[in-house]
Amino acid sequence: MLPPIILDAGYFMPNRLFFDHLGTILLMAVVGTIFNVLTIGISLWGAGQTGLYGEHDTPGLLETFLFSSLISAVDPVAVLAVFEEIQVDEVLYIVVFGESLLNDAVTVVLYHMFEAYVEIEEDNITVSDIGKRSGELHCGCWRRDNNWDCLGLCHRFCDQVHQPCSHP
């Protein structure tokens, strides 16, 4: 269900306004999601260190980061619906809309990154593993977002080029 929604949203999105505010959107999507993952993960790990989860069920730091990457994505569908209803400023709408499109990709890539770290185990992680996974974060987000963007652009191009001819 999500791919058609994203395709529709990308097709009818005001491109000029989106790309004019791309820096703000990326800041909120990438930095905001990473901040959420780290904050939630460290908080859960700290709560586990106090014994809140029980004596033998204390999760490690990587496990809490893995879980926090699952729950950190913010999906402002209701906010966007209210924004449309009350006709808020276009810039505010496009920033929230763009952030909601991009933060899901960041969350998926962070989940896969922490999943790989959990498989390696905390004691066996090297600097090269961190560099390799951080590079995947950059490339993975770009690749996932651009697949749907390219599909939307192809659809838009084909729709514009393949208009039925009207002969008098």
Side-chain angles (χ1 to χ4, degrees):
M1 187 69 185
L2 188 59
I5 293 170
I6 293 174
L7 179 65
D8 179 64
Y11 184 75
F12 293 108
M13 180 182 66
N15 291 335
R16 176 75 176 176
L17 199 57
F18 179 81
F19 288 111
D20 284 347
H21 299 284
L22 187 62
T24 304
I25 292 169
L26 287 174
L27 179 72
M28 290 178 63
V30 177
V31 177
T33 304
I34 291 172
F35 177 77
N36 282 345
V37 167
L38 295 177
T39 304
I40 293 169
I42 290 171
S43 299
L44 290 173
W45 179 77
Q49 296 302 308
T50 64
L52 187 64
Y53 305 135
E55 227 174 89
H56 302 289
D57 295 332
T58 304
L61 186 61
L62 292 177
E63 286 86 5
T64 59
F65 283 148
L66 182 64
F67 178 71
S68 69
S69 68
L70 279 175
I71 64 171
S72 65
V74 179
D75 197 17
V77 173
V79 172
L80 291 172
V82 170
F83 280 2
E84 275 189 33
E85 184 71 27
I86 64 172
Q87 301 293 318
V88 297
D89 182 42
E90 287 181 339
V91 173
L92 177 61
Y93 181 83
I94 199 70
V95 168
V96 173
F97 175 76
E99 189 270 340
S100 71
L101 285 178
L102 300 179
N103 76 349
D104 291 337
V106 175
T107 302
V108 168
V109 173
L110 282 173
Y111 177 80
H112 288 298
M113 184 177 77
F114 286 121
E115 184 180 39
Y117 286 155
V118 168
E119 288 176 9
I120 293 172
E121 294 181 355
E122 200 170 323
D123 297 333
N124 300 329
I125 294 176
T126 63
V127 174
S128 65
D129 292 327
I130 294 171
K132 185 168 83 172
R133 299 296 174 200
S134 297
E136 286 177 6
L137 174 66
H138 174 70
C139 295
C141 289
W142 184 84
R143 186 177 61 243
R144 279 182 178 78
D145 288 338
N146 281 339
N147 286 342
W148 290 112
D149 293 344
C150 289
L151 184 61
L153 287 174
C154 289
H155 183 274
R156 178 179 265 184
F157 177 74
C158 292
D159 191 40
Q160 294 294 325
V161 170
H162 190 35
Q163 295 290 328
C165 296
S166 59
H167 296 296

